[in-house]
Amino acid sequence: MAKKSITKRWIINNLGLVVLALVIISMVIIYAVQNYFYSSARQYLVSKINAVTSVLSIHSQDSSANFAAEMRTMLETFNEKDKIELMAINSKGRVVLTSSGFSPDEDDVMPDYIEAMEKGEGSYIGRLHGGEKILAVSVPISSMSNEYSSVRMVTSLTEIDSTIMTYIAAVAVICFTIIFIIVTIGLYFAGSIVKPIRQISNIARKIAMGDFSVRIENSSDDEIGELCTAINHMAFELSAAESMKNEFISSVSHELRTPLTAIKGWAETLMLDGGNSPDTMNKGVKIIVTETDRLQQMVEELLDFSRMQNGHFTLQSATMDVLAELGDAVLIYSEKAKRENKKIIYDEPEMLPFVFGDKNRIHQVFINVVDNAVKYSSEGDVITITASQSGDDVVIAVKDTGVGIKQSDLAKVKTKFYKANHTRRGSGIGLAVADEIISMHGGSLSIDSEGEGLGTTVTITLPVQKK
């Protein structure tokens, strides 16, 4: 299919309408100018012929005057014979006298004379047998004389038509000037749109091919400029997402390789040792179980993330006790924190309202948050966990005195694949999954930190179950 250009469509649609409008306006103006000049010439002839008939009327009332002689004298002394031909028509409808002395061609028609004899006055615009364009006016005088039936005035329209042509030429020049200005401005305007659109199209193709480094040169502050800014921002975000995805793949590969290496190494050790050393056996089995749990947790995170992306992430909600799930998470990590010389302080309240939700998913969130607090803390750091009711919400806060988060990274830590600290293990999707789980429960998960080395506070808010 042939490509439809915006410029071509503009020329066909807009310019076509403009040209049509100008043609119509020009025809109206030309008609008005022609009608004005022709009407003025006709009125002038009518006034002149009325003056002639007035004089002839006076002579016809004078019994001593010879009407035929007066008619001849009037035609011979007519003072505008260089511009107007004055004629006397006899009772048979033939021109017998003219102011120029030349008889008209017998083939020339006189519709004005016929109209004058029928209606009292007649006019005619047409061409003589020789091709000259004329204006003729006739007035009957049969009531004044039996010999003559009408007087007629004829003038050439050559000069008037020449003047009209001058006006037509002026209108045409104006119209062409307007069209030229409109075309010039229109092409410039269309070009100002088409050029950046072509640039946007080329850049978009490169982005689609995976080149996120390209940017659109933006020099306008209109809608096109906004589009360029949006596409440049999109390219930046895609580049960042691509970078995070690559880091995620590298991180997950590393995270998977570490426990697999440990499992394989200890499995080989146990095979070679053959169970001769009970201490080695116990230690090896314990490490294999621990690393297997790590692998299982990572695989579950990846599966949950995949379900979230595909829209298959569901909840099995029921009335649940938040304190029970939070207590289990604290218990799981208390021994680990103690081994790493870290301290967990959990101020457990006596009772909290029930929450309607999926206890397994909420437990998963607590595990993730407490694990992060322990993971991103160093020896001697303290993790403080509190649970309370605030209005219609249950609020769980996990605060640590660990490595903290830079202010520039704070808004991105819940983004998929993002890891603010690459020195600690993790896939970078745990918080994204946790945030999605809490959001699906109608709550919120917020992360605050005053900066690096100043610790982090994670606050989870869940709505209380309505009675």
Side-chain angles (χ1 to χ4, degrees), residues 44-234:
Y44 183 76
L45 289 186
V46 168
S47 64
K48 284 294 182 180
I49 203 167
N50 285 337
V52 170
T53 55
S54 297
V55 174
L56 291 176
S57 176
I58 294 172
H59 289 312
S60 67
Q61 294 175 4
D62 187 359
S63 57
S64 61
N66 186 334
F67 189 84
E70 294 296 337
M71 174 70 78
R72 187 176 289 104
T73 301
M74 179 172 289
L75 265 65
E76 290 175 354
T77 59
F78 184 59
N79 57 359
E80 292 191 42
K81 62 175 65 179
D82 57 330
K83 295 185 297 182
I84 302 173
E85 180 87 17
L86 179 60
M87 302 178 180
I89 302 174
N90 64 11
S91 57
K92 295 181 180 180
R94 292 184 178 181
V95 177
V96 291
L97 295 173
T98 63
S99 58
S100 63
F102 297 99
S103 298
D105 195 329
E106 292 184 359
D107 294 333
D108 292 336
V109 295
M110 296 187 297
D112 53 299
Y113 168 72
I114 298 172
E115 183 183 2
M117 299 309 295
E118 294 176 353
K119 300 180 180 180
E121 183 180 307
S123 61
Y124 165 68
I125 295 177
R127 294 187 181 276
L128 297 176
H129 188 68
E132 184 181 7
K133 193 174 183 180
I134 60 162
L135 169 63
V137 174
S138 298
V139 174
I141 57 171
S142 55
S143 60
M144 303 178 193
S145 170
N146 293 328
E147 185 178 354
Y148 300 101
S149 61
S150 174
V151 288
R152 186 183 189 223
M153 283 188 175
V154 179
T155 186
S156 174
L157 293 178
T158 302
E159 291 186 7
I160 293 176
D161 284 346
S162 177
T163 303
I164 292 174
M165 287 302 297
T166 302
Y167 280 95
I168 292 174
V171 171
V173 169
I174 292 172
C175 289
F176 281 117
T177 302
I178 293 173
I179 292 173
F180 176 77
I181 293 173
I182 291 175
V183 169
T184 303
I185 295 175
L187 290 176
Y188 175 79
F189 177 71
S192 67
I193 295 176
V194 171
K195 185 178 178 180
I197 287 178
R198 286 175 178 166
Q199 184 187 8
I200 290 171
S201 179
N202 292 332
I203 296 297
R205 289 193 190 97
K206 292 181 180 179
I207 293 174
M209 296 298 293
D211 184 3
F212 303 125
S213 63
V214 293
R215 295 293 184 270
I216 302 172
E217 295 180 5
N218 184 14
S219 59
S220 58
D221 56 355
D222 53 10
E223 289 81 358
I224 296 292
E226 292 178 2
L227 178 60
C228 293
T229 302
I231 292 179
N232 286 337
H233 180 69
M234 179 191 70

Side-chain angles (χ1 to χ4, degrees), residues 271-283:
M271 288 176 63
L272 293 173
D273 186 71
N276 294 326
S277 173
D279 291 338
T280 303
M281 176 68 72
N282 291 334
K283 185 178 179 180

Side-chain angles (χ1 to χ4, degrees), residues 326 345 369 384-388 395-399 457-460:
L326 181 60
I345 300 175
V369 173
T384 304
I385 302 172
T386 60
S388 61
V395 181
I396 295 93
V398 180
K399 182 178 181 181
T457 301
V458 178
T459 304
I460 300 170

Side-chain angles (χ1 to χ4, degrees), residues 255-256 259-260 263 288-304 307 361 364 367 425 427 429:
E255 291 294 328
L256 291 173
L260 285 173
I263 292 170
I288 289 173
V289 170
T290 301
E291 295 302 324
T292 302
D293 288 339
R294 283 182 60 189
L295 280 175
Q296 184 178 6
Q297 183 180 354
M298 290 181 61
V299 171
E300 286 298 327
E301 283 185 350
L302 292 172
L303 288 174
D304 287 340
R307 294 187 191 104
R361 295 299 184 186
Q364 178 183 346
I367 289 290
R425 62 179 178 81
S427 62
I429 60 174

